[in-house]
């Protein structure tokens, strides 16, 4: 199979990168900013299950790490597995959050652009939550 078309969706967040990672990498927090997960994630052994706009999907997350890697594999009801590369990296005193959007088979140009806008909307939700909410004190002890 040839490599798929990819777009990097990114946003800067004015919070220490570790604070962003600590908040965003928790599956139970993802419903607060990742709208594609519908009503949230339910733990199911080492994986998670989400019921949302894409139907019921299984999600397997990268283990907690010191590198800002939040990759996850989403298995659709059809059995299609989608590797979602998601990273938080230091950017000055803040963070850069990057999502690699891969174009799935049979996705039109219009749908690929809509998927890009959806991911960007979700990253903006994360930014607003971390820059302008009570979560501003999350994980900042000792810094």
């Amino acid at each position: 199979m040839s490599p798929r078309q990819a777009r990097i969706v990114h946003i800067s967040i004015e919070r220490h990168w570790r604070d962003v990672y600590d908040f965003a990498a928790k599956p139970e927090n993802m419903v607060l900013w990742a709208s594609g997960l519908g009503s949230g994630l339910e733990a199911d052994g080492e994986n998670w299950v989400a019921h949302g706009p894409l139907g019921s999907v299984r999600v397997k997350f990268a283990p907690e790490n010191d590198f800002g890697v939040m990759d996850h594999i989403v298995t659709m009801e059809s059995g299609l597995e989608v590797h979602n590369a998601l990273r938080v990296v230091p950017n000055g005193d803040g963070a850069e959050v990057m999502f690699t959007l891969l174009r799935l088979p049979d996705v039109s140009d219009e749908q690929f652009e809509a998927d890009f806008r959806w991911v960007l909307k979700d990253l903006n939700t994360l930014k607003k939550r971390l820059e302008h909410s009570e979560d501003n004190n999350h994980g900042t002890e000792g810094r």
Side-chain angles (χ1 to χ4, degrees), residues 78-135:
S78 68
L80 175 68
E81 287 187 352
V82 180
H83 182 119
N84 292 304
L86 181 58
R87 306 285 195 279
V88 178
V89 298
N91 182 357
D93 290 335
E96 194 72 16
V97 180
M98 297 168 284
F99 182 92
T100 302
L101 177 64
L102 299 175
R103 187 174 187 161
L104 298 177
D106 301 321
V107 168
S108 69
D109 290 343
E110 294 78 18
Q111 184 59 50
F112 191 51
E113 180 61 29
D115 291 345
F116 177 87
R117 287 191 310 270
W118 189 338
V119 172
L120 184 59
K121 176 181 69 72
D122 284 351
L123 293 183
N124 272 301
T125 300
L126 178 64
K127 176 183 176 77
K128 288 175 190 162
R129 175 166 282 285
L130 290 174
E131 288 182 352
H132 306 293
S133 77
E134 300 83 47
D135 294 319

Side-chain angles (χ1 to χ4, degrees), residues 27 42-49 58-61:
E42 302 167 3
D44 185 23
E46 293 182 4
N47 296 317
W48 295 77
V49 176
R58 297 189 66 72
V59 186
K60 179 176 177 123
F61 292 95

Side-chain angles (χ1 to χ4, degrees), residues 9-23:
V9 188
H10 65 93
I11 193 162
S12 298
I13 298 179
E14 293 183 28
R15 285 289 298 274
H16 189 274
W17 79 269
R18 191 67 204 206
D19 293 343
V20 175
Y21 174 79
D22 287 346
F23 179 82

Side-chain angles (χ1 to χ4, degrees), residues 30-41 50-55 57 118 122:
M30 291 190 94
V31 69
L32 301 173
W33 63 274
S35 62
L37 297 176
S39 61
L41 291 163
H51 309 284
L54 302 174
V57 299
W118 189 338
D122 284 351

Side-chain angles (χ1 to χ4, degrees), residues 1-4 105:
M1 171 193 318
S2 299
R4 296 180 181 156

